[in-house]
Amino acid sequence: MALCDINLTQDIYAIECNPTNGVTNLSVKGVKRNGLIFNRADFDPDPSERVKVARGGNCYSVLPLLEGKRGYHITQPSNNPFEGTKTEASKGKYVTTFNHTLQFVILNHGNYTAALVDELANGEFIVMLEPNQSNAQPASETSPIIAVSGAWEIYGLDNGLKLETAVRELYNDDTLAGWLVTMTETGAPNAATFATPELIATYPVEETSDGETT
Amino acid sequence: MEPETILTKLRGWINEPPAHFLNEFEPLYRNILRKKIPACKCPDKIRDAVLELYAFINKHKNDMETIIKRTAKLRGGVVLFGIPNHAGVFNNTNLTDEIARAFLEKYPKRATWFETLPAPVEEPAKEPTPDAVEETNEEPAPAPKKRGRKPKK
C-alpha cells in the first residue's frame, strides 16, 4: 500500500457549494421508495469486469450481472422509506471498516410472505437505493473526486447483506402485524458505494411472457 | 414494417386505442425497445409506452432497419461508452451492431460483456479460385500402413 492511500486529498466543507453560481446545496434526508435487490451470487465476481467512473471515487459505471440473471423490486411505503438504514464506522484492531444496516418493512403476512422471509434468511443480497439528494455538486472544480449526479447507493457489494433480524408482532401499530426486516453488512472497506443512473437502467427486473428477462 | 407505417399506427393508438391492440403493440414494444411494458398499476402506463415507442422510432427513423435486425445484446449492468466516432452512452435499447463492433474493435477483451455478439459484417461472396477447387477434388490420402509386430493377446 502506498503511503498516499491514507492521506487526505480534499477540503472539507460542512455545506456543499456550487462554485460556478455560488448556490449552496443543503443535503436532503432519506431515499426514494423504489429500490432494487439482487442476489449477491448473481453478480459477476471478476473484478476486472467492473469499471469505476474516472475520478468518481467508489462510483461504478459498469457492474455486470451473470448471464440471464435479474434484479427484483423492493418498494416501501412513502412515509420514511427504508427508515433505520444507516452506516457506522467500526474501529478494528488494525483498520477501521464500515457496517451497513438496511431496514425495511413487509406490511403483510401469509404463506407468500413467510416464503419470502425464508429466502431472505439464508442468502446474501445487494440492494441499490436512490437518494433524495440527486444533484450533488462538486465542492471545487479542481477536486480529485467529481460528483456524479443522480448516483444510486449500493449496499452489500463488498460482503453482502445478511439477515440480522426479522420481527413480526401481532399487535404492532407500525408494522400492522407484518415483518420488520433488518439486514447488515459488516466489515465493508468502503464508507459507501455508488452506481450511475445509466447503469441502474440496464438491470433487467421484469420477466417477459416467454421467460426471458429484459 | 416501414417506420412511417408504425408511426401512423402509433399515432392512432395514443388517444383512441382499439380493442385488443396490445396483442400487436406488446411484441412491437418488446422487440424494438428490448424491455417489457412496466408492470405497475399506473393508469397511463400503456399510453406512456406508446408515446415512448413513438418518440424512439421518430428519433431513429433512418436506422430502424439496423435496429430491428441487430443481434448484439449486453449483459445486465453493462453500458458502453468511449466508443470511437460514437458519442454518448449505449445500453440495450440504443445499441446497434455497428456500435458494438466498433467497441469490440477497440476493447476486444470486453466481449465478455455481451450476451450475444454482433453479427459479423457481410462480405461479398468470393468465387472459388481454381486452386481451391483442385484441393477439394483431391481424394484424401490413404492412411499409412501400420508397421511392427501385432500386440500380444
Side-chain angles (χ1 to χ4, degrees), chain A residues 84-149:
Chain A
T85 300
K86 61 180 179 181
T87 298
E88 286 176 317
S90 166
K91 196 168 161 59
K93 186 176 181 184
Y94 300 111
V95 289
T96 299
T97 55
F98 295 88
N99 297 339
H100 301 289
T101 305
L102 179 90
Q103 202 169 65
F104 59 93
V105 288
I106 306 172
L107 299 179
N108 199 351
H109 182 64
N111 56 348
Y112 170 79
T113 322
L116 183 63
V117 175
D118 283 348
E119 287 174 2
L120 290 174
N122 294 305
E124 290 187 346
F125 305 94
I126 290 174
V127 172
M128 300 188 185
L129 302 177
E130 184 179 11
N132 278 332
Q133 185 175 16
S134 58
N135 293 316
Q137 296 288 340
S140 157
E141 291 292 330
T142 55
S143 169
I145 305 291
I146 54 166
V148 179
S149 184

Side-chain angles (χ1 to χ4, degrees), chain A residues 45-69:
Chain A
D46 187 355
S48 67
E49 299 285 316
R50 301 174 178 181
V51 178
K52 286 181 180 175
V53 177
R55 290 177 63 210
N58 278 325
C59 186
Y60 284 90
S61 56
V62 174
L63 193 60
L65 288 174
L66 294 173
E67 278 188 31
K69 302 297 182 185

